C-alpha cells in the first residue's frame, strides 16, 4: 500500500488488516464486526479475508467480549475488541477495571495483557442517548490501562499498529464524528512514540491542548483567532494516559497561556488533571489560570441540544479571550 | 457438530430433563435435601463409604488402584490440614483473612485429580485443594491473605490462574482461554471454578453463552456449598443449578460433592467431552461449606447447628477412610504415617508464613505496566526522593 488519502475509519481498517496479516495471534472481536463490517464499517471486509476464527462476531454481551478477550490473551492471542458505542462500555467496565487493568501487576509481571479495546466515542453525529459520550476520564483514573485517541487518519493507522503491539491493555478511543475525515496515510513512515503529543500548529500567544475530535475544532479556532491577530499554538495530545506533560509544559513555557478542550464533562475530567499539573510545573510561567472548555455536568443531551453542549468555535474562542485578558 | 447432537450423547441428558428435579429442589426449605437420597445426584461412595454402582460413570474410575485411592485420601487430609493451619494463622494475626475450604475437599481433589498437566484452571479464592493438585506450593497461596502480594505464583508455571476475588469474573477468562485452545487445535481443556452465589452473576451467564456459541472446551465446576456468605442457594436460584446448562445448550450434571470418587469420575467425563470437541459442561458439586465464608464471617448469625451436623455425617474424608478400611486398601501404618506428614506440613506452613518478608516499598510501582508509563515513573521518583529524605533512607 503506497501513501494515499483515506478516511480515518478506513485508516483503522487498513491498520487492522495489516495487523491481522502480520501476526496470526491478532484477533478482531465484537458485535457485528464480521459480515456487516461494524456499524461504522471500520472492520469492513476483514472477516471475508481472514475468516470467522480471526474476525469474530460475538454474542451481544460486552462483559463477555472483554472477559473472553482476557482469556484469549492469557492463551497468547492479541485480541482487538470493538465496543459498539461509548455508552455501551459500562457492562464491560468491571472486566476492564478489575481484571484487564490489574492482571499484569497481580501476576508480578508474569502475565501480559495485549488487549486493545476500541471505542467509537464522542458526539456531534445526532445520535440517540448512550451513543455520544466521552468516558475517557473514567478509564484514565485506573492504573494499568493506557488510553489513546487519534485525531487524524495517519495517527489512527499508526497508533492502532502501536496499540496492538503494546503488551499493555490500550483503550483506543476513536473520534466517531471524524471517521469520515480524510488524511494522508503513509504505511512506510516511521511513527513517533505512541504517547507523545504533537504540535499541529505553531503559535506564540496561547496553547490550545486537545485530543481526538477536538483537535480539528481547535485548529478551526486557531484559524479564526488568527484573523483577529491572535497567534495560537495547537497541541494534539494523542494520549490521555499517560499524558505528555513535557510537551504541554514546553508549549506553555513559550505561550504562557493554556486552554484545554475536550468533549467530556469538565468536572473531574482530563482538563482538570492537566490544569493542576501544569499549574504546578509552570506556576511562574503562566500569565493566566489554565482554563477548560468541555461538556457540562449533565447527561449528554438529546441531539437537538448537542451543539450547545459540545465545545464549539465560539465557546473555545471565548475561553481564549478570557485567558488573554489576564 | 451441533449442540443438540452432542447433548443427545451425554449420559445425563435424560436425568437433567426430568421435570421432577425442579419441583423437588424449589420446594425444599433450607438446605435439607440429603445428597444420599437425591435421585439426580451422581454418587459412587455412600456416606458410609460403601461403593455403589453407577452405569454411566463407573468406567471413569474403573481402573483406579488402591494406591490412587490412598492418594486421594492423602490429598484431602493434607489439604484440610493446610486449611486448618491457615485458619489458625489468621486467628493468630499472621494472615489478614482466610477463606476456608473445610468440607469441600472431595469436590476440589476429585475434580483437580481429573485434570491433565496441560489443562488450565481458573479458580476463585477458595480452591486450595485444586492448587494442591496442580503442584502450587500451598505457602504461595498465603501471600495475598497475608498482604504481601495480590497473587503469589506464576499462573503459567502450573496452569493454575491467580485467585479471582470479584465473583464470577474468571469464568469468562476460562472461556476465552478455552476458545484459544480450540483455535490452536489443541486437545487440552479448561476448568472454571465458581460457587452457587456466582451463578447469579451476569459474567457466569455470559460465559455460558460464549462457551456454548463457540463450543469451547471448558468445564464449569460449580461448588454449591449452600451458602453465599449469609445467603442460601434459594436466594440465587429457583431451579437446581445444574439445570441452568440446558437452557444454554450444553449438559449439566449434579454430583455428590462430598464423594471424591464421583467428583473424579464426573469431571473426567466432562473433560473428555471437552477434549473431543463436544463443548462445555456444567458440573454442580453439591457440597457444604462447614466453616465460615471467610474468617470475617459469623455463620451462627444465619444458620443452625443441626444443618452442619447433618453434613458432618457426610464428611468427604471420613467417607473415603471408611471405604479404604472396609476394602482393606489402607492399614493403620498408612494413617499413622499420613498423620505425621500432616503435622510436618502444618509446621512448614506456619514457619513459611512467619518468615514471609514484607514486600519492598517500591513494589507499589512494579509491574503496573508491561511497557512502562510516564506517570508511574514520575511518582516512583517522587516516592524515592521522599524515602531518601529520612535519615535511614527507609521512610519508616
Amino acid at each position: 500500500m503506497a501513501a494515499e488519502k483515506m478516511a480515518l475509519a478506513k485508516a483503522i481498517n487498513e491498520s487492522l488488516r495489516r495487523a491481522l496479516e502480520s501476526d496470526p495471534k491478532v484477533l478482531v472481536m465484537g458485535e457485528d464486526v464480521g459480515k456487516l463490517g461494524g456499524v461504522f464499517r471500520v472492520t469492513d471486509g476483514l472477516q471475508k479475508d481472514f475468516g470467522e476464527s480471526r474476525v469474530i462476531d460475538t454474542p451481544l454481551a460486552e462483559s463477555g467480549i472483554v472477559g473472553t478477550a482476557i482469556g484469549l490473551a492469557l492463551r497468547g492471542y492479541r485480541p482487538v475488541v470493538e465496543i459498539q458505542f461509548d455508552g455501551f462500555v459500562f457492562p464491560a467496565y468491571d472486566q476492564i477495571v478489575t481484571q484487564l487493568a490489574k492482571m499484569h501487576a497481580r501476576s508480578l509481571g508474569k502475565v501480559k495483557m495485549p488487549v486493545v479495546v476500541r471505542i467509537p466515542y464522542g458526539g456531534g453525529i445526532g445520535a440517540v442517548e448512550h451513543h455520544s459520550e466521552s468516558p475517557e476520564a473514567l478509564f484514565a483514573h485506573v492504573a494499568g490501562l493506557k488510553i489513546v485517541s487519534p485525531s487524524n487518519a495517519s495517527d489512527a493507522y499508526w497508533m492502532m499498529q502501536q496499540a496492538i503491539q503494546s503488551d499493555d491493555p490500550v483503550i483506543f478511543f476513536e473520534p466517531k464524528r471524524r471517521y469520515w475525515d480524510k488524511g494522508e496515510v503513509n504505511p512506510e513512515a516511521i511513527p513517533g512514540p505512541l504517547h507523545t503529543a504533537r504540535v499541529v500548529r505553531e503559535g506564540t500567544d496561547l496553547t490550545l491542548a486537545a485530543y481526538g475530535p477536538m483537535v480539528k475544532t481547535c485548529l478551526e479556532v486557531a484559524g479564526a483567532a488568527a484573523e483577529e491577530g491572535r497567534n495560537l499554538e495547537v497541541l494534539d495530545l494523542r494520549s490521555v494516559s499517560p499524558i505528555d506533560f513535557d510537551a504541554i509544559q514546553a508549549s506553555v513555557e513559550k505561550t504562557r497561556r493554556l486552554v484545554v478542550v475536550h468533549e467530556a464533562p469538565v468536572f473531574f475530567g482530563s482538563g482538570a488533571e492537566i490544569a493542576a499539573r501544569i499549574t504546578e510545573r509552570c506556576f511562574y510561567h503562566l500569565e493566566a489560570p489554565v482554563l477548560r472548555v468541555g461538556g457540562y455536568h449533565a447527561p449528554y443531551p438529546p441531539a437537538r441540544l448537542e451543539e450547545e453542549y459540545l465545545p464549539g468555535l465560539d465557546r473555545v474562542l471565548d475561553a481564549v479571550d478570557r485567558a488573554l485578558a489576564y | 457438530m451441533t449442540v443438540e447432537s452432542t447433548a443427545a450423547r451425554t449420559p445425563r441428558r435424560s436425568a437433567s430433563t426430568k421435570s421432577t428435579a425442579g419441583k423437588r429442589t424449589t420446594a425444599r426449605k433450607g438446605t435439607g435435601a440429603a445428597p444420599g437420597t437425591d435421585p439426580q445426584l451422581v454418587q459412587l461412595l455412600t456416606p458410609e463409604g460403601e461403593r455403589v454402582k453407577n452405569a454411566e460413570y463407573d468406567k471413569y474410575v474403573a481402573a483406579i488402584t488402591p494406591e490412587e485411592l490412598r492418594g486421594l485420601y492423602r490429598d484431602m487430609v493434607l489439604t484440610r490440614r493446610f486449611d486448618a493451619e491457615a485458619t489458625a494463622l489468621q486467628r493468630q494475626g499472621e494472615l489478614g483473612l482466610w477463606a476456608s475450604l473445610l468440607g469441600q475437599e472431595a469436590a476440589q481433589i476429585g475434580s483437580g485429580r481429573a485434570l491433565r498437566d496441560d489443562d488450565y484452571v481458573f479458580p476463585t479464592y477458595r480452591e486450595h485443594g485444586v492448587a494442591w493438585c496442580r503442584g502450587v506450593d500451598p505457602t504461595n497461596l498465603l501471600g495475598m491473605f497475608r498482604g504481601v502480594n495480590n497473587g503469589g505464583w506464576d499462573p503459567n508455571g502450573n496452569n493454575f490462574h491467580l485467585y479471582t476475588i470479584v465473583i464470577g469474573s474468571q469464568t469468562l477468562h476460562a472461556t476465552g482461554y478455552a476458545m484459544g485452545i480450540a483455535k490452536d487445535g489443541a486437545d487440552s481443556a479448561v476448568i472454571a471454578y465458581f460457587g452457587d452465589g456466582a451463578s447469579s452473576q451476569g459474567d457466569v451467564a455470559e460465559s455460558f453463552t460464549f462457551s456454548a456459541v463457540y463450543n469451547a472446551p471448558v468445564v464449569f465446576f460449580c461448588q454449591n456449598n449452600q451458602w453465599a456468605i449469609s445467603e442460601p442457594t434459594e436466594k440465587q436460584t429457583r431451579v437446581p443449578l445444574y439445570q441452568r446448562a440446558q437452557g444454554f445448550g450444553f449438559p449439566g450434571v449434579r454430583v455428590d460433592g462430598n464423594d471424591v470418587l464421583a467428583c473424579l469420575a464426573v469431571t473426567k467425563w466432562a473433560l473428555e467431552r471437552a477434549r473431543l470437541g463436544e463443548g462445555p459442561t456444567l458440573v454442580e458439586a453439591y457440597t457444604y461449606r462447614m466453616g465460615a465464608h471467610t474468617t470475617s464471617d459469623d455463620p451462627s448469625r444465619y444458620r443452625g447447628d443441626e444443618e452442619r451436623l447433618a453434613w458432618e455425617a457426610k464428611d468427604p474424608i471420613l467417607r473415603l477412610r471408611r471405604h479404604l478400611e472396609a476394602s482393606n486398601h489402607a492399614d493403620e501404618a498408612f494413617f499413622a504415617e499420613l498423620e505425621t506428614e500432616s503435622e510436618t506440613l502444618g509446621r512448614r506452613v506456619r514457619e513459611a508464613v512467619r518468615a514471609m518478608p514484607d514486600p519492598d516499598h517500591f513494589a507499589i510501582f512494579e509491574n503496573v505496566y508491561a511497557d512502562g508509563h510516564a506517570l508511574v515513573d514520575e511518582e516512583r521518583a517522587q516516592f524515592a526522593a521522599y524515602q531518601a529524605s529520612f535519615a535511614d533512607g527507609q521512610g519508616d
Side-chain angles (χ1 to χ4, degrees), chain A residues 7-69:
Chain A
L8 191 152
K10 176 68 174 165
I12 297 172
N13 178 280
E14 289 292 344
S15 191
L16 292 172
R17 174 175 293 278
R18 176 171 174 168
L20 285 161
E21 270 166 5
S22 57
D23 184 351
K25 292 296 185 185
V26 171
L27 306 171
V28 169
M29 300 169 62
E31 297 157 14
D32 306 305
V33 299
K35 276 195 180 138
L36 182 66
V39 292
F40 291 104
R41 310 293 182 266
V42 171
T43 56
D44 190 29
L46 298 178
Q47 190 183 65
K48 185 165 98 26
D49 294 340
F50 296 95
E52 290 181 24
S53 74
R54 303 282 311 281
V55 180
I56 305 165
D57 272 326
T58 63
L60 218 116
E62 284 78 9
S63 188
I65 294 169
V66 174
T68 53

Side-chain angles (χ1 to χ4, degrees), chain B residues 115-180:
Chain B
L115 298 163
R116 260 179 11 199
D117 283 352
D118 61 334
D119 294 335
Y120 214 103
V121 179
F122 286 85
T124 68
Y125 43 78
R126 203 191 294 280
E127 267 62 80
H128 321 313
V130 186
W132 172 266
C133 294
R134 299 306 285 176
V136 176
D137 187 323
T139 61
N140 286 346
L141 303 178
L142 300 172
M144 65 185 292
F145 293 100
R146 189 171 169 84
V148 302
N149 58 45
N150 292 322
W153 58 92
D154 178 356
N156 294 322
N158 306 72
N159 281 12
F160 185 78
H161 190 65
L162 299 169
Y163 279 179
T164 298
I165 306 265
V166 178
I167 303 299
S169 294
Q170 75 282 359
T171 57
L172 281 169
H173 310 161
T175 301
Y177 195 95
M179 288 161 63

Side-chain angles (χ1 to χ4, degrees), chain A residues 261-325:
Chain A
V261 184
H262 52 62
E263 290 192 15
V266 164
F267 187 66
F268 270 86
S270 49
E273 180 60 40
I274 292 167
R277 285 194 188 256
I278 289 303
T279 301
E280 194 175 335
R281 282 186 179 216
C282 305
F283 189 72
Y284 294 107
H285 287 93
L286 286 167
E287 297 284 350
V290 179
L291 299 182
R292 295 165 287 160
V293 186
Y296 301 110
H297 193 56
Y300 193 90
R304 299 284 176 137
L305 287 174
E306 68 180 339
E307 287 302 317
E308 307 304 319
Y309 176 92
L310 291 168
L313 211 60
D314 290 340
R315 271 178 65 202
V316 181
L317 279 169
D318 180 62
V320 167
D321 287 345
R322 281 194 289 133
L324 287 167

Side-chain angles (χ1 to χ4, degrees), chain A residues 22-324:
Chain A
S22 57
D23 184 351
K25 292 296 185 185
V26 171
L27 306 171
V28 169
M29 300 169 62
E31 297 157 14
D32 306 305
V33 299
K35 276 195 180 138
L36 182 66
V39 292
F40 291 104
R41 310 293 182 266
V42 171
T43 56
D44 190 29
L46 298 178
Q47 190 183 65
K48 185 165 98 26
D49 294 340
F50 296 95
E52 290 181 24
S53 74
R54 303 282 311 281
V55 180
I56 305 165
D57 272 326
T58 63
L60 218 116
E62 284 78 9
S63 188
I65 294 169
V66 174
T68 53
I70 290 169
L72 283 157
L74 289 168
R75 181 71 189 181
Y77 285 87
R78 304 184 88 84
V80 183
V81 308
E82 176 177 305
I83 301 294
Q84 205 158 63
F85 283 93
D86 35 62
F88 302 168
V89 73
F90 297 107
Y93 194 65
D94 168 48
Q95 281 287 347
I96 293 172
V97 169
T98 71
Q99 307 299 315
L100 184 64
K102 294 181 169 68
M103 205 66 90
H104 185 257
R106 57 197 300 271
S107 73
L108 305 180
K110 305 289 187 195
V111 163
K112 306 272 191 283
M113 276 291 121
V115 176
V116 178
V117 181
R118 294 182 39 235
I119 307 178
Y121 84 123
I125 62 164
V128 293
E129 66 172 340
H130 312 305
H131 288 66
S132 303
E133 296 167 14
S134 298
E136 64 271 17
L138 295 171
F139 294 89
H141 202 63
V142 179
L145 302 176
K146 289 182 174 174
I147 293 139
V148 299
S149 181
S151 68
N152 58 75
S154 176
D155 271 354
Y157 180 89
W158 282 110
M159 287 166 71
M160 179 59 75
Q161 289 292 304
Q162 293 167 314
I164 293 170
Q165 284 156 17
S166 169
D167 281 333
D168 288 311
V170 178
I171 314 295
F172 198 95
F173 281 104
E174 299 173 3
K176 68 168 87 80
R177 73 155 123 164
R178 308 295 183 214
Y179 267 150
W180 303 278
D181 287 2
K182 286 192 170 182
E184 178 100 346
V185 175
N186 179 4
E188 310 297 329
I190 297 167
L194 178 57
H195 302 288
T196 308
R198 188 165 46 229
V199 176
V200 289
R201 179 183 171 122
E202 299 247 12
T204 52
D205 297 344
L206 179 147
T207 300
L208 286 173
Y211 50 86
M214 281 295 108
V215 172
K216 184 177 181 183
T217 303
C218 286
L219 284 170
E220 288 165 3
V221 168
E227 290 170 16
E228 299 168 2
R230 312 286 201 194
N231 187 4
L232 307 189
E233 179 146 306
V234 179
L235 202 54
D236 181 355
L237 297 178
R238 300 172 72 248
S239 173
V240 177
S241 180
I243 289 180
D244 187 352
F245 286 108
D246 291 344
I248 308 173
Q249 180 176 351
S251 179
V252 169
E253 285 178 0
K254 183 172 70 172
T255 66
R256 295 175 175 258
R257 286 178 172 84
L258 175 63
V259 174
V260 189
V261 184
H262 52 62
E263 290 192 15
V266 164
F267 187 66
F268 270 86
S270 49
E273 180 60 40
I274 292 167
R277 285 194 188 256
I278 289 303
T279 301
E280 194 175 335
R281 282 186 179 216
C282 305
F283 189 72
Y284 294 107
H285 287 93
L286 286 167
E287 297 284 350
V290 179
L291 299 182
R292 295 165 287 160
V293 186
Y296 301 110
H297 193 56
Y300 193 90
R304 299 284 176 137
L305 287 174
E306 68 180 339
E307 287 302 317
E308 307 304 319
Y309 176 92
L310 291 168
L313 211 60
D314 290 340
R315 271 178 65 202
V316 181
L317 279 169
D318 180 62
V320 167
D321 287 345
R322 281 194 289 133
L324 287 167

Side-chain angles (χ1 to χ4, degrees), chain B residues 48-79:
Chain B
E48 292 71 38
E50 190 188 333
R51 180 74 168 79
V52 287
K53 292 281 169 210
N54 183 301
E56 288 153 352
Y57 294 102
D58 272 347
K59 63 178 175 181
Y60 294 97
V61 290
I64 199 162
T65 63
E67 190 187 357
E68 285 167 334
L69 280 175
R70 285 194 299 275
L72 293 173
Y73 184 79
R74 175 178 174 272
D75 289 337
M76 289 198 290
V77 166
L78 293 181
T79 299

